[in-house]
Amino acid sequence: MKTAWKKLDIRYTAVIASLLLSSFSTLTASLPNDDAYTYIRTAEIFLDDGVSAAISHYTWAGYPILIGAASMFGLSLLEAAYALNAIFYSMLVFSYISIVQRIDNARIIALLGAITVLAYPELNEYRDMIIRDTGYWSLSLFAIWRFILFSDSRQFSELVAFVIAMFTAALFRAEALVYVLAIPLVLLLDTKLPASQNRLDVLKVIGFTVTLLSSVILIALIVGINIPIMLIKLVSVYEPFLIGLFNPSDAILATQANTIFGPFSQLIPPDYLHAAVLLGLPAVLITSLFFTIGGPYFWLLSFGALRGMLQFEVEQVRPLLSVALVNLFIAVGFLYLTKFFTGRYAMMLGIMVSMMVPILLKSMLARFRISEGMRAVHILLILLVSYCMIDAYVSFGRPKDWLVDSAVFAKIATPKEARILTNNHTIAYLSERVSEYDRVSRELQEVDIKTVPPGTLIVLELTSEIRQLVNHEEIQAQLKLLATFPNSLEPRAVIYERKSSPDEILLD
């Protein structure tokens, strides 16, 4: 039994566990996230009209094109997306454990690393979502693993694997190109080899990266894909934010202050709103980073650091520190530019920090092994892992059957050629009555309702803004209520028909 245990590679067992967990998450998923519809629609365009059309619809189209290609194996686009998600998570788990083993090659570290990554709530809660980040995270971790191998062996094959993997990650998120240039700089701090050798190896990485990137750009141009123009379009999205960075309008400042401070923003004098927003952003960043790392892991690492149990060789974790710092700089830049932030943007930093958890757990188990508190430590660890697993894989959200019911009603109540007006992506997609379902606006105006033809079905998710809109007397006079979902005192969706004539409005 002991011999079999020693021969067992925990990474492959963890990969199987990851695939099973992905299957569970997919089967228990409620409805696709809003971003999913953009990727699915772009994949449809790719299958119908080719790569150029897909890129015209969505500039950085690597992920949706991959979804479309995967669907050619007989899967629906949603099934293909979930299958890719499962594959990416399994690659992420494999690479994560491989990196942790390079920090400490003790066998227990592989097991603790597998438990840590599979139970990481903030990472695994995205398993049932269709987002490009999963491919970006998994390929980036694989690239980091290969770079660590390169830093130890200085073999050119490992350098090639690192650069190609990071370039592939850039198909999902362009910021991977920053890592491919930033990570190799840690070689300059390596003390195992002469400084001249380190400088030569850094130049070797940069030279190969530039050569390969130039070749990729040239080949893409030959087949009709202009990568520099794509990058310019990607960056140009942030131009309005850059213009308003130093001189934002009063309306934008009021919105940003309300987002950060809530009702307390009304107490801030208008002349000080800009300064208040800038000073409030660090609190947003710190809070977001805390939730990205996760409370259980953050407090565990804090406890270990204070007790002196978090011990590691700086040389071994230097690449992880570089990734965390680069991600932090990117996150800070994005937050101050757009005044918007989500945990996904700092997940690379969170993953790097979480890799210290198995190192700490090993130290804790070793320290308490000879004490009477060993049983208590085991119980606490079991409770911690159980809590994290429940947090990661069990959803306590309210069911969204009302969305499906609303879409089915719209589909049945209208002919195939009919179009509906809605503010919800899911309703637009499932009703099959909105061709550009990925571009549905969440916010509707009076003019949107007034200008639709009589007889149009108007299916609305009742956000607070929409409730205010449909409660206007002028708007109510033009709408005929058909159904509400759920059929209760607090409906979440409402279905109207645009009245067909002034006479009908008067008779009603």
Side-chain angles (χ1 to χ4, degrees), residues 21-299:
L21 289 170
S22 291
S23 300
F24 171 78
S25 296
T26 301
L27 291 173
T28 57
S30 54
L31 291 168
N33 50 296
D34 279 350
D35 290 348
Y37 298 106
T38 300
Y39 303 133
I40 296 301
R41 176 61 184 151
T42 307
E44 289 177 349
I45 294 172
F46 161 69
L47 292 173
D48 293 337
D49 302 314
V51 173
S52 297
I55 292 174
S56 297
H57 183 77
Y58 182 76
T59 302
W60 214 251
Y63 180 48
I65 288 173
L66 186 59
I67 292 174
S71 72
M72 296 178 183
F73 291 95
L75 301 172
S76 71
L77 289 172
L78 281 174
E79 290 170 344
Y82 284 126
L84 287 173
N85 209 31
I87 293 171
F88 287 139
Y89 263 101
S90 63
M91 180 187 296
L92 186 154
V93 168
F94 185 92
S95 301
Y96 185 101
I97 301 171
S98 299
I99 293 172
V100 170
Q101 285 182 305
R102 300 303 300 183
I103 300 174
D104 187 333
N105 61 3
R107 184 163 184 78
I108 188 64
I109 284 292
L111 178 60
L112 294 174
I115 294 171
T116 301
V117 67
L118 291 173
Y120 188 176
E122 282 64 33
L123 173 64
N124 290 290
E125 67 182 10
Y126 297 110
R127 279 185 184 267
D128 62 349
M129 295 187 186
I130 299 173
I131 53 174
R132 57 182 177 154
D133 303 73
T134 53
Y136 163 63
W137 297 331
S138 63
L139 287 161
S140 296
L141 284 190
F142 182 83
I144 293 166
W145 173 42
R146 304 316 295 189
F147 174 80
I148 293 174
L149 293 178
F150 169 71
S151 67
D152 290 339
S153 67
R154 304 300 170 98
Q155 293 183 1
F156 187 72
S157 59
E158 300 296 354
L159 183 157
V160 172
F162 161 68
V163 175
I164 291 177
M166 206 55 99
F167 273 10
T168 309
L171 294 175
F172 297 85
R173 296 197 70 94
E175 53 261 44
L177 296 175
V178 178
Y179 291 109
V180 79
L181 294 174
I183 294 176
L185 297 180
V186 303
L187 293 177
L188 298 176
L189 303 175
D190 195 336
T191 58
K192 298 191 300 292
L193 293 174
S196 57
Q197 180 64 49
N198 292 332
R199 289 193 295 268
L200 179 63
D201 288 334
V202 170
L203 291 175
K204 189 186 301 182
V205 176
I206 295 175
F208 179 75
T209 300
V210 172
T211 302
L212 184 59
L213 181 60
S214 302
S215 302
V216 169
I217 292 174
L218 181 60
I219 294 171
L221 285 172
I222 292 173
V223 299
I225 301 174
N226 195 321
I227 294 179
I229 294 297
M230 290 169 60
L231 285 170
I232 291 173
K233 286 183 178 179
L234 199 66
V235 174
S236 66
V237 172
Y238 301 100
E239 184 178 356
F241 297 106
L242 192 59
I243 293 173
L245 181 61
F246 301 104
N247 190 27
S249 67
D250 292 340
I252 291 176
L253 278 177
T255 301
Q256 293 171 350
N258 185 64
T259 301
I260 297 173
F261 302 108
F264 295 103
S265 62
Q266 303 296 325
L267 303 176
I268 303 174
D271 292 343
Y272 296 97
L273 270 182
H274 194 193
V277 167
L278 293 178
L279 293 173
L281 290 176
V284 174
L285 178 66
I286 292 171
T287 303
S288 298
L289 292 179
F290 172 79
F291 284 111
T292 300
I293 297 169
Y297 287 180
F298 176 84
W299 295 118

Side-chain angles (χ1 to χ4, degrees), residues 7 279 307 313 493:
K7 290 182 178 180
L279 293 173
R307 296 294 298 271
E313 293 290 336

Side-chain angles (χ1 to χ4, degrees), residues 294-312:
Y297 287 180
F298 176 84
W299 295 118
L300 181 65
L301 290 172
S302 299
F303 169 78
L306 290 173
R307 296 294 298 271
M309 292 186 289
L310 190 57
Q311 300 175 354
F312 51 83

